[in-house]
Amino acid sequence: MITLEGIVERIIFRNEENGYTVAKINSTDGDLVIVGSATILKTNLKYKFTGDFTYHNKYGEQFAFIEMEEIMPEGEAAIINYLSSSMIPHVGEKMAERIVNKFKDETLDVIEKNPERLLSVEGIGKKKYKDIKEALDRQYAMRKIFLYFSKYNLPAAIILKIYKEYGDESIEIVMRNPYDLIGRVRGIGFKKADEIAESIGVKKDSDFRKIAGLKYALMLANRDGHTYLPLDKLIRASENILGLKFENTDEIAKTLTLEKNFFVERDGENYNCYIARYLAAENYVAGKLKDLNISFEEEIDIDKKIIETERFREIELSKTQRKAVKEAINRGVFVITGGPGTGKTTTLKVLIDIFESMGKVIKLAAPTGRAAKRMKEQTGRDAFTIHKLLEIGFAGDIGFSNIEELECDVLILDEVSMVDIILMETLLKSIESPTRLILVGDKDQLPSVGAGNVLSDILKSGIIESVNLEEIFRQSEKSMIVKNAHLINKGEMPILNEGDFFMISERGEMKGLEIIKDLVKTRLPNYFNVSEADIQVLTPTKKGSHGTINLNKVLQDHLNNNEEFIEILGKKFKVGDRVLQTKNNYELESRVENEFYQDRQKGVFNGDLGYISKIDKENKKVTVIFDDVRSVEYNSENLDELAPAYAMTIHKSQGSEFPVVVIPLYRAAPMLLTRNLIYTAITRASKAVVLVGMSEYLVKMIENNRTVKRYSNLAEKLRRQNEIIGK
């Protein structure tokens, strides 16, 4: 074994999943490339590496290390570099210089043993000192935790998340039950938790491990959109995860019923296995929709009201639209569905006009900020996200908290296909009969990202009255986007290279990337007189040359020349970057400030789109503007919740609308090449669609009308509720 020391100049590659790192260091032997597992390696810091030289056929000589440790810097220049390298918050290069000028070679001793002496440094007041001291205390605790978990090859970002979840008790809690990490710490699945469990002596066939495998299988099912799994499906999924066979299935059902947060529901001769939270939501939604689904007998002439509104708006409703308006006024719960150009917005405008003439208080809502913004623009009335409308917080396993009753006579919810069972339960808890609930959506779009099949199940039940708008209106007939969406929905090929719908055929994936780069930066802005921000690349997949991971890297390099950036946890963020929130965070505060008013609210949600407006390198903070008005400040602890959004998956684009959409058509998993995926993608565009790639993949998507079955029982429970009423 050889030991050498060096300063890390550049991290060439880092796999955030397993910590494998390739870096360039400056050592006494000159510049070297090192390779190995390094969870906490940082640039500009000095380390001691233990390992051996190896030779790579392609990359030449490398030093493969198996152990590393940080060496405290010596000399004022080195200490300044160390302090300003993101090790201590609120300390940038200028502040580091002031600290070192004050304490010289004693600096590191002062910081570790007498940090209160920092108060004597110009620019460090009581508040900044308090923040620094708290961060230092965390670092001392974290250092122990980092060293402990590093032996499991966990990346630094994951260890940081463990510490955020469990604090100073991280080691004790994880060693007691490593499987507790699953679902609590993003980035740790069953495999990694299982490695830790094996290291502390948990046997492969232990009941403890089997239960963990069953729970994990059901958790994965929820992530895939299922509210439950039949017992036989759950057992098969668990056996694949565990690598063993279950003998007594009845015993498993009994065991699961005794487990906290689990529930096994008898369905004839079968068992349906739920995480209890989803069963409670499904039952509540079915019962509440039944309670709300009453008939109204308003003392008004609805036909006369419709005629008056048509005259006022200078429109003429179709027969189906007229039926939708009348039924929505007469029913407690009503569903309006339809594809693009079929008049959903016009129908809503007429409904709103009539309800307002009746003196009704109306609230408008949608699942995402962008969908709510679009609803407001289309109707001319205020519309809110469900979370903002209800002003709700989050209370961990029990779901949402502080849900108060909405004071309204009519609640109209748009983009219902995006609403999962938990969010629908939350919304329904806020309204009581005789409030009318009008649900609006496109039944042919992708289902919600979260668990449940709410819109589809409501329609399938046949219990809630609905109208599907099918006629394409004259003003929409000019749009090839609308025409082609309906052709695709019927299983027919779209009309290409006409009007606002184009396809550029290119079989080479690398050439396809170059075409997309040129389209987004030059050709489309010039042709359609739009900005780069108006153009969104939507792709079926995350992986591959045309997946979001690679596309975002390529497009960031091509579109954003801003030299102001910050690199944290292996991600580079630049001022001007388009970014996407990737998980619900109910604690992040957003601010709206202008000359007329100020508004503060908590919560930034999965799918929110924004752009980076400011980077504070001194304090390692990034400011993001969402929906063009909401300002949110991120720090190094929650920046991992942001992802670049020059390219998005089609699923993530639900509820959004973009002037121009570019869609690459290349290799992807067969389950992603489906009709409703391409239909959803093209219906996100308002001005133009450009397909780039191979026409055979477009044909495959249109021909593939198979949808992955979602296990959800809302439709059946609605029918049962109706049977109870009938009796």
Side-chain angles (χ1 to χ4, degrees):
M1 287 289 178
I2 300 170
T3 298
L4 56 84
E5 296 178 3
I7 296 171
V8 178
E9 287 188 352
R10 183 163 65 96
I11 294 175
I12 299 168
F13 171 80
R14 171 175 281 161
N15 184 324
E16 291 296 334
E17 293 298 315
N18 58 24
Y20 178 78
T21 301
V22 180
K24 182 182 176 184
I25 68 166
N26 184 272
S27 74
T28 51
D29 296 324
D31 289 347
L32 295 173
V33 173
I34 60 164
V35 296
S37 181
T39 57
I40 51 177
L41 197 69
K42 290 183 178 289
T43 55
N44 299 320
L45 299 187
K46 191 174 184 180
Y47 295 89
K48 180 166 75 175
F49 301 95
T50 303
D52 250 318
F53 283 99
T54 61
Y55 190 84
H56 192 284
N57 288 335
K58 185 174 180 181
Y59 300 111
E61 189 176 62
Q62 300 174 334
F63 186 80
F65 65 89
I66 56 172
E67 290 182 6
M68 55 166 276
E69 65 176 273
E70 185 184 341
I71 298 173
M72 287 295 103
E74 296 176 358
E76 292 183 13
I79 295 171
I80 289 170
N81 208 16
Y82 174 76
L83 294 181
S84 59
S85 66
S86 83
M87 295 303 292
I88 302 174
H90 313 292
V91 177
E93 190 172 344
K94 290 178 183 176
M95 180 61 74
E97 286 175 359
R98 288 203 291 269
I99 293 172
V100 173
N101 286 339
K102 180 81 175 176
F103 301 115
K104 306 297 182 186
D105 291 341
E106 293 183 72
T107 298
L108 295 178
D109 275 343
V110 167
I111 287 172
E112 185 161 355
K113 297 171 183 174
N114 304 104
E116 67 279 358
R117 291 178 64 189
L118 290 171
L119 283 165
S120 64
V121 177
E122 180 189 352
I124 299 182
K126 289 183 178 179
K127 185 180 185 309
K128 183 166 277 194
Y129 169 72
K130 183 185 175 189
D131 292 341
I132 291 173
K133 179 70 167 63
E134 286 176 356
L136 287 170
D137 289 343
R138 281 199 305 272
Q139 278 191 21
Y140 297 144
M142 281 173 61
R143 197 172 296 167
K144 176 184 173 186
I145 290 163
F146 265 82
L147 286 171
Y148 189 89
F149 286 117
S150 290
K151 63 186 176 185
Y152 299 109
N153 293 324
L154 292 173
I158 300 297
I159 298 175
L160 183 61
K161 289 175 187 175
I162 292 173
Y163 179 75
K164 280 171 66 177
E165 179 67 29
Y166 302 114
D168 295 346
E169 297 179 331
S170 295
I171 295 172
E172 180 188 341
I173 291 172
V174 173
M175 290 303 100
R176 187 166 62 239
N177 180 9
Y179 299 108
D180 193 67
L181 290 164
I182 303 169
R184 289 185 178 273
V185 177
R186 201 176 185 195
I188 293 190
F190 187 85
K191 185 178 177 182
K192 183 55 68 176
D194 208 30
E195 286 176 16
I196 299 172
E198 186 177 14
S199 75
I200 62 172
V202 176
K203 294 212 170 22
K204 291 284 185 187
D205 61 349
S206 70
D207 290 341
F208 182 71
R209 182 173 179 268
K210 288 177 183 175
I211 291 295
L214 287 161
K215 286 181 178 179
Y216 184 61
L218 201 44
M219 189 185 300
L220 290 181
N222 293 151
R223 289 179 188 171
D224 287 340
H226 308 290
T227 57
Y228 73 93
L229 276 184
L231 181 60
D232 61 330
K233 302 279 185 189
L234 176 60
I235 288 172
R236 278 202 293 274
S238 305
E239 287 175 339
N240 288 334
I241 291 165
L242 293 164
L244 50 77
K245 290 284 184 186
F246 286 104
E247 302 299 331
N248 191 332
T249 55
D250 286 337
E251 194 61 36
I252 293 168
K254 288 177 186 175
T255 303
L256 280 176
T257 57
L258 298 175
E259 280 294 310
K260 184 183 177 184
N261 299 328
F262 266 76
F263 197 91
V264 179
E265 187 178 60
R266 191 74 181 258
D267 184 11
E269 295 299 311
N270 303 314
Y271 297 103
N272 295 334
C273 302
Y274 285 86
I275 288 178
R277 181 76 193 84
Y278 291 97
L279 176 65
E282 209 171 64
N283 288 340
Y284 183 87
V285 169
K288 191 59 172 283
L289 286 175
K290 180 262 296 181
D291 292 342
L292 293 171
N293 193 28
I294 61 174
S295 297
F296 288 89
E297 293 183 10
E298 296 286 350
E299 295 180 1
I300 61 165
D301 186 336
I302 297 177
D303 288 315
K304 183 181 176 184
K305 287 278 187 186
I306 291 173
I307 292 168
E308 289 172 354
T309 308
E310 285 177 318
R311 284 179 188 153
F312 171 72
R313 289 199 171 268
E314 297 180 345
I315 57 170
E316 185 178 347
L317 297 182
S318 69
K319 185 178 178 181
T320 313
Q321 284 178 306
R322 191 176 288 265
K323 179 184 177 184
V325 170
K326 293 175 77 169
E327 289 295 326
I329 291 170
N330 289 328
R331 303 294 309 171
V333 184
F334 190 71
V335 184
I336 301 172
T337 63
T342 56
K344 293 195 299 292
T345 300
T346 301
T347 305
L348 283 188
K349 286 178 180 177
V350 172
L351 265 172
I352 291 167
D353 286 346
I354 293 175
F355 278 130
E356 286 179 342
S357 73
M358 294 165 63
K360 304 295 183 186
V361 176
I362 308 161
K363 301 280 188 186
L364 308 183
T368 66
R370 292 184 74 86
K373 183 181 177 184
R374 189 152 58 98
M375 194 181 190
K376 180 178 180 177
E377 290 167 352
Q378 290 172 336
T379 62
R381 305 295 194 281
D382 282 338
F384 305 93
T385 64
I386 295 170
H387 299 88
K388 173 63 177 170
L389 183 71
L390 305 183
E391 297 288 356
I392 50 179
F394 193 68
D397 292 339
I398 65 169
F400 297 96
S401 62
N402 306 322
I403 302 171
E404 296 182 6
E405 186 177 342
L406 277 177
E407 295 181 4
C408 65
D409 303 303
V410 182
L411 176 59
I412 301 175
L413 178 64
D414 199 8
E415 296 287 359
V416 183
S417 62
M418 297 178 65
V419 177
D420 61 40
I421 195 70
I422 299 293
L423 195 53
M424 180 56 81
E425 176 200 35
T426 304
L427 183 76
L428 293 179
K429 283 181 176 178
S430 74
I431 58 175
E432 297 294 337
S433 190
T435 298
R436 290 174 173 86
L437 176 63
I438 300 170
L439 305 174
V440 185
D442 184 341
K443 64 183 178 62
D444 297 308
Q445 280 194 33
L446 294 168
S448 59
V449 175
N453 215 6
V454 174
L455 177 59
S456 178
D457 279 353
I458 288 173
L459 294 170
K460 188 167 73 173
S461 74
I463 302 306
I464 306 296
E465 294 292 331
S466 66
V467 161
N468 184 42
L469 305 175
E470 295 178 320
E471 180 184 338
I472 302 174
F473 281 82
R474 215 172 279 134
Q475 63 268 29
S476 296
E477 287 177 353
K478 299 172 187 174
S479 169
M480 292 309 301
I481 296 173
V482 172
K483 277 188 179 179
N484 284 336
H486 288 274
L487 285 172
I488 287 170
N489 208 20
K490 291 188 285 187
E492 299 175 25
M493 279 295 289
I495 301 163
L496 302 175
N497 301 321
E498 187 175 314
D500 51 13
F501 202 100
F502 306 90
M503 177 157 186
I504 300 172
S505 293
E506 176 51 63
R507 301 192 69 79
E509 293 192 11
M510 292 304 106
K511 284 187 178 178
L513 273 180
E514 292 304 313
I515 289 170
I516 289 171
K517 285 162 61 178
D518 190 34
L519 282 169
V520 175
K521 186 168 186 176
T522 308
R523 291 166 64 181
L524 293 175
N526 291 342
Y527 190 83
F528 288 106
N529 192 28
V530 295
S531 69
E532 289 175 11
D534 291 328
I535 302 164
Q536 183 63 54
V537 179
L538 298 179
T539 178
T541 182
K542 294 178 182 177
K543 298 177 181 177
S545 61
H546 287 267
T548 54
I549 296 169
N550 187 57
L551 275 168
N552 275 310
K553 184 179 183 305
V554 167
L555 290 171
Q556 184 192 50
D557 291 343
H558 187 64
L559 299 174
N560 192 342
N561 296 322
N562 203 314
E563 294 182 2
E564 191 176 355
F565 70 89
I566 188 170
E567 195 162 358
I568 293 180
L569 302 177
K571 290 182 183 178
K572 181 184 281 188
F573 296 97
K574 296 182 179 181
V575 169
D577 273 348
R578 195 182 310 175
V579 290
L580 173 78
Q581 177 76 11
T582 60
K583 62 177 286 190
N584 290 336
N585 186 323
Y586 301 93
E587 298 304 316
L588 269 177
E589 184 179 80
S590 62
R591 299 189 304 276
V592 178
E593 296 180 14
N594 60 35
E595 57 185 307
F596 301 110
Y597 72 98
Q598 288 189 357
D599 178 38
R600 292 173 182 261
Q601 67 181 79
K602 277 198 170 184
V604 183
F605 304 103
N606 189 356
D608 282 356
L609 272 172
Y611 66 91
I612 294 176
S613 65
K614 180 180 167 187
I615 288 175
D616 180 355
K617 291 184 96 169
E618 182 88 1
N619 297 310
K620 289 87 182 174
K621 291 182 179 179
V622 167
T623 302
V624 177
I625 306 295
F626 290 103
D627 303 324
D628 299 323
V629 292
R630 291 190 299 128
S631 171
V632 180
E633 194 173 80
Y634 290 79
N635 57 37
S636 57
E637 292 187 355
N638 49 38
L639 261 174
D640 64 314
E641 296 174 10
L642 285 179
Y646 294 99
M648 296 167 58
T649 61
I650 295 167
H651 226 134
K652 285 284 188 185
S653 72
Q654 282 180 279
S656 298
E657 183 178 270
F658 310 97
V660 182
V661 164
V662 178
I663 307 166
L665 293 173
Y666 289 99
R667 289 174 299 169
M671 63 184 291
L672 295 173
L673 298 176
T674 64
R675 186 186 299 174
N676 65 348
L677 199 77
I678 189 66
Y679 172 82
T680 298
I682 68 172
T683 55
R684 299 306 90 208
S686 61
K687 201 166 187 175
V689 168
V690 182
L691 309 175
V692 178
M694 301 163 67
S695 58
E696 53 258 50
Y697 285 107
L698 177 60
V699 173
K700 280 182 182 179
M701 294 180 91
I702 293 168
E703 289 179 348
N704 182 7
N705 198 29
R706 295 189 299 272
T707 54
V708 178
K709 177 178 172 57
R710 280 197 171 194
Y711 289 102
S712 60
N713 229 354
L714 180 60
E716 180 58 31
K717 287 175 179 177
L718 279 166
R719 292 191 199 105
R720 287 180 200 159
Q721 291 284 353
N722 199 55
E723 288 170 6
I724 292 168
I725 295 170
K727 292 177 182 177

